[in-house]
Amino acid sequence: MSDALSYRPKTGEIPTNPGVYRFRDPGGRVLYVGKAKNLRARLANYFAPLSSLHERTRRMVTTATSLEWTVVGTEVEALQLEWTWINEFDPPFNVQFKDDKSYPYLAVTLADDAPRALVTRTTGIKGARYFGPYPKVWAVNETVELMLKAFPIRTCNNANYKRAMESGKPCFAGQIGKCFGPCSGKVGFEEHRLIVNEFVNFMNSHDRKLINQLTAEMKVAAAEQHYERAAKLRDQAKALESVLEKSAVVLRDTVDIDLFGIEQDELAASVQQFIVRGGRIRGVRGWMVDKELDVTTGELLDSILQTAYTGGVNPPREIVLPELPDDAEALETWLAGVGHRKVRLVAAQRGEKAALLETAGQNAKHALMLYKTRRSSDFVSRSKALEDIQEALGMTQAPLRMECYDASHLSGTNVVASMVVFEDGLPRKDEYRRFNIPETTDDTDSIYRTLTRRLAYLRPGVDVPTDAPGALLEIPAVDPGALDPTVDIVAMPLAADLDADAKRKKFRYQPNLLIVDGGQPQVSAAARALRESGVTGIQLCGIAKRLEEIWLPDSDYPVILPRNSDALFLFQRIRDEAHRFAITHQRARRKRDISSVLGEIPGLGPARVKVLLQHFGSVARLKEADVEAISDVRSIGPVLAATIHEHLRS
């Protein structure tokens, strides 16, 4: 038996989305399949102290050696994928059902003279068409209720139906408006069968054409002033819209396809392959691809398909991709030779396949984030990265403390800069800083002013005035142990009465390496600030995003690091973190500025500000509007419109 904690993922690595998880033994056999509305919360229960676990659960987690999960869109999708994989893998630790029953289905008894819709846990009704399974009985009941609004068919049981047909009186369900079959006296057999067929076809295809048709008919009826019919058509369309919130995991029974979800950055790509057979996901493959220089998405897809279908793996007749590669026809010919049948490449844009492709893309996105997080936290990889950076830049010692700077603006306004700190290759979020930079000219000037301000704190005996260029306006307050790069940092104002020594203490450590986001111009601006500060012992470089190349001061040629090296990966991560931190602050400032400008106008509260921004889209468009256009906005009268117009123009 293995230690249950040896394969435990870090809490931050587990998504909070709905999904399905699998425990596997050393041989790769699936031991247990489970679903969760929140994967992180659910999986935490399995890694509680062993003494607190149920005996069966304890035996399962100690037998397992690996854990994997697949993210889906909704709890319904999680249920359906769990059900598929329980039947596919027959896991030994899964009980069949939580309540010793089966999951509920929606069934239509097509073999009957007057087919009925019913909720059942039995799957052996002869001639019936089943839809589901559903996670809860209320979920299938809700679907039936919605579908009956659009397709009114029979719902009463066989006894009531037989009694009604013999007596000529409507069945009890028909009398209270719950049954719409021939037994209700409202429809004949042939007409009822046509409605049943429409019911089944829509549940099979989830085709929006019917909704569009109902919407068009509703508009025609309203134009002809047939308002009762228009209202009925509107309710039918709304009901079908609600039903469309169905699983992207389950397609039609005849669908056999492979879908490839891809998420990529400059250095790596994550691939998730969903294998769909008989309309259900029968398997998921995932792998990482180290990208070469200037690899296009089409070239990447070419490589992915060749990897997926070599070694005797036969492709299905249809493969769904995020986009078609340039040599799609040649790939189709090659795949046809591999599978000995015609293969079609498709770029799904809408519909059920596009929805499932989006789910695959979400899984690829999470896999890439997980890969980067685990690679960054690996001690051996971090040590190798720091050693490689030291050697590549000609430093006398490894850059144990690195600071990276990035500037962000919106069309030249709301200019901000960020400083992020990495120590021993890991982020120190309690050391992050944000700068507001007034009246700057460009990115190089922003970098110069930011570093001038920062380096002043490293000069002993120098008092730093609060009105210096690029003055530090905000200090983040965070838990030093929080290292999740996706967590936004809460900012608090810097107290105006702090003395220079207290301020300097905030920047108490001198970095070994200063990094700026950009190429030669940005590095030159940073070098000027470093030279003028008089501070020595700090290496400077910049990372240019286009080719991921490293620039040094007074160098005509960049330093090129191997594309798959840990050193370049660390450079990329600290640069991306600085960019994220700057963008987050810039957007927050812009939002505050918009609210403050409009909030100064008398009679304009938060609710009206929201209405104005929704109507015009931005303050700039609002400034261009005349009084008449402003007064057309809901809740804005002529007097208030004139006040707004005058205030913004002044």
Side-chain angles (χ1 to χ4, degrees):
M1 289 188 179
S2 64
D3 181 3
L5 298 179
S6 63
Y7 62 92
R8 176 180 182 175
K10 295 181 180 179
T11 302
E13 295 176 351
I14 306 174
T16 56
N17 311 69
V20 181
Y21 54 91
R22 290 145 288 172
F23 286 88
R24 294 182 182 268
D25 67 7
R29 181 181 62 155
V30 176
L31 297 175
Y32 182 78
V33 175
K35 67 178 185 301
K37 185 176 182 180
N38 182 323
L39 281 168
R40 183 180 298 177
R42 182 70 184 94
L43 291 176
N45 297 332
Y46 290 100
F47 297 104
L50 292 178
S51 58
S52 66
L53 298 177
H54 187 276
E55 180 182 354
R56 183 180 176 86
T57 304
R58 183 166 60 249
R59 188 152 50 92
M60 188 271 291
V61 297
T62 53
T63 303
T65 57
S66 65
L67 168 67
E68 54 194 35
W69 55 80
T70 298
V71 175
V72 295
T74 66
E75 191 178 3
V76 175
E77 294 179 18
L79 178 277
Q80 292 170 332
L81 187 55
E82 178 200 36
W83 178 85
T84 298
W85 281 347
I86 287 175
N87 286 280
E88 181 81 11
F89 302 117
D90 192 21
F93 285 93
N94 274 91
V95 292
Q96 186 176 7
F97 302 105
K98 291 193 296 185
D99 54 0
D100 295 328
K101 301 177 182 178
S102 64
Y103 291 116
Y105 288 84
L106 164 59
V108 181
T109 58
L110 296 177
D112 294 348
D113 293 336
R116 62 179 288 219
L118 71 153
V119 178
T120 179
R121 296 179 184 269
T122 303
T123 57
I125 301 176
K126 187 176 181 179
R129 181 70 176 86
Y130 289 90
F131 305 98
Y134 292 82
K136 305 288 184 183
V137 172
W138 60 261
V140 65
N141 284 331
E142 186 177 71
T143 300
V144 172
E145 184 177 343
L146 290 169
M147 287 296 294
L148 290 177
K149 290 180 180 179
F151 306 105
I153 64 174
R154 175 190 160 210
T155 59
C156 66
N157 60 38
N158 290 333
N160 286 338
Y161 173 76
K162 184 177 180 180
R163 188 182 305 115
M165 297 305 293
E166 290 177 350
S167 65
K169 296 180 180 179
C171 62
F172 177 73
Q175 295 178 37
I176 62 174
K178 296 293 184 180
C179 180
F180 308 94
C183 51
S184 67
K186 300 176 182 178
V187 66
F189 283 96
E190 292 185 3
E191 184 180 354
H192 181 259
R193 174 65 71 169
L194 292 174
I195 299 174
V196 169
N197 291 340
E198 291 180 349
F199 184 109
V200 172
N201 289 338
F202 183 81
M203 289 297 294
N204 271 330
S205 65
H206 291 170
D207 195 343
R208 293 193 60 87
K209 290 181 180 178
L210 182 57
I211 298 177
N212 296 336
Q213 178 183 337
L214 290 172
T215 303
E217 292 178 4
M218 176 195 71
K219 293 179 179 178
V220 171
E224 296 175 352
Q225 298 185 358
H226 298 157
Y227 298 120
E228 291 185 4
R229 172 170 168 74
K232 182 179 179 180
L233 292 169
R234 177 202 61 199
D235 294 341
Q236 288 178 333
K238 284 186 176 180
L240 295 183
E241 284 280 6
S242 299
V243 173
L244 280 184
E245 295 178 1
K246 300 289 288 178
S247 169
V249 172
V250 180
L251 306 177
R252 291 187 295 273
D253 289 346
T254 56
V255 174
D256 291 342
I257 59 173
D258 283 357
L259 299 98
F260 289 86
I262 300 173
E263 183 72 18
Q264 58 182 314
D265 60 18
E266 292 81 6
L267 299 181
S270 170
V271 183
Q272 288 283 311
Q273 178 186 2
F274 279 19
I275 302 168
V276 180
R277 300 295 182 267
R280 295 186 179 276
I281 298 177
R282 301 299 180 182
V284 174
R285 279 184 71 194
W287 65 94
M288 300 298 303
V289 178
D290 287 327
K291 295 175 58 178
E292 297 298 331
L293 196 63
D294 292 333
V295 174
T296 65
T297 302
E299 293 170 335
L300 182 62
L301 286 168
D302 196 319
S303 173
I304 288 170
L305 292 176
Q306 293 184 47
T307 301
Y309 298 112
T310 53
V313 179
N314 289 328
R317 295 185 182 277
E318 185 174 318
I319 298 173
V320 181
L321 306 171
E323 63 179 73
L324 289 179
D326 295 335
D327 59 345
E329 292 184 5
L331 273 174
E332 288 177 342
T333 302
W334 177 78
L335 290 167
V338 173
H340 306 292
R341 60 183 176 184
K342 186 177 180 180
V343 178
R344 189 165 65 104
L345 299 181
V346 177
Q349 302 295 330
R350 61 183 66 86
E352 55 189 9
K353 294 177 184 177
L356 184 53
L357 184 64
E358 183 179 354
T359 301
Q362 290 175 355
N363 280 270
K365 183 177 183 180
H366 180 262
L368 180 62
M369 183 193 73
L370 190 60
Y371 166 77
K372 295 171 72 172
T373 302
R374 286 180 172 173
R375 185 174 177 181
S376 300
S377 61
D378 182 73
F379 176 77
V380 176
S381 297
R382 295 201 323 267
S383 300
K384 183 69 166 60
L386 295 175
E387 291 174 3
D388 290 347
I389 291 174
Q390 176 187 353
E391 181 180 351
L393 303 186
M395 301 176 64
T396 57
Q397 57 182 350
L400 298 181
R401 179 181 172 93
M402 298 185 291
E403 295 178 2
C404 186
Y405 296 82
D406 183 32
S408 176
H409 64 88
L410 181 69
S411 301
T413 63
N414 281 332
V415 184
V416 300
S418 67
M419 162 188 155
V420 300
V421 180
F422 274 45
E423 287 188 354
D424 295 329
L426 292 173
R428 280 291 305 270
K429 290 201 169 184
D430 58 317
E431 300 275 345
Y432 285 15
R433 296 294 181 268
R434 299 183 291 197
F435 303 83
N436 293 338
I437 308 172
E439 300 177 3
T440 187
T441 56
D442 54 26
D443 283 352
T444 56
D445 181 59
S446 300
I447 291 294
Y448 168 75
R449 297 174 67 178
T450 301
L451 284 175
T452 298
R453 177 69 180 176
R454 189 271 176 275
L455 293 169
Y457 284 86
L458 300 179
R459 298 168 60 189
V462 177
D463 188 17
V464 183
T466 58
D467 59 351
L472 176 66
L473 298 183
E474 296 179 274
I475 290 181
V478 298
D479 178 6
L483 296 178
D484 184 353
T486 63
V487 177
D488 287 332
I489 294 178
V490 180
M492 65 180 182
L494 177 65
D497 58 350
L498 287 177
D499 56 31
D501 289 338
K503 296 175 189 174
R504 189 173 293 109
K505 191 176 180 181
K506 298 293 183 180
F507 291 151
R508 58 188 179 277
Y509 298 127
Q510 177 171 311
N512 305 106
L513 177 62
L514 283 181
I515 306 169
V516 295
D517 181 13
Q520 283 181 306
Q522 287 78 14
V523 173
S524 298
R528 181 161 62 96
L530 185 60
R531 185 171 55 253
E532 292 176 358
S533 71
V535 178
T536 60
I538 300 178
Q539 178 67 50
L540 172 66
C541 72
I543 176 169
K545 188 176 182 64
R546 188 175 69 88
L547 298 177
E548 301 295 325
E549 53 197 13
I550 311 301
W551 286 93
L552 298 175
D554 303 321
S555 176
D556 294 331
Y557 300 98
V559 176
I560 304 297
L561 296 172
R563 296 289 293 180
N564 60 350
S565 67
D566 292 318
L568 184 56
F569 180 82
L570 182 56
F571 266 123
Q572 184 197 41
R573 185 168 184 230
I574 192 171
R575 187 270 316 280
D576 291 347
E577 179 70 347
H579 182 67
R580 180 199 67 82
F581 195 52
I583 287 291
T584 301
H585 180 44
Q586 194 271 333
R587 288 174 178 169
R589 274 199 67 201
R590 178 170 174 261
K591 187 175 181 180
R592 286 199 305 268
D593 289 349
I594 290 173
S595 299
S596 61
V597 167
L598 297 178
E600 295 173 355
I601 302 175
L604 204 58
R608 285 175 171 171
V609 168
K610 183 177 180 181
V611 171
L612 281 169
L613 291 177
Q614 286 177 341
H615 183 85
F616 289 101
S618 67
V619 173
R621 291 183 180 178
L622 178 58
K623 286 181 178 180
E624 295 173 357
D626 56 21
V627 175
E628 184 178 353
I630 298 174
S631 63
D632 289 339
V633 179
R634 177 172 53 87
S635 77
I636 306 295
V639 176
L640 181 56
T643 304
I644 295 171
H645 184 267
E646 181 181 355
H647 184 91
L648 293 178
R649 289 302 177 93
S650 63

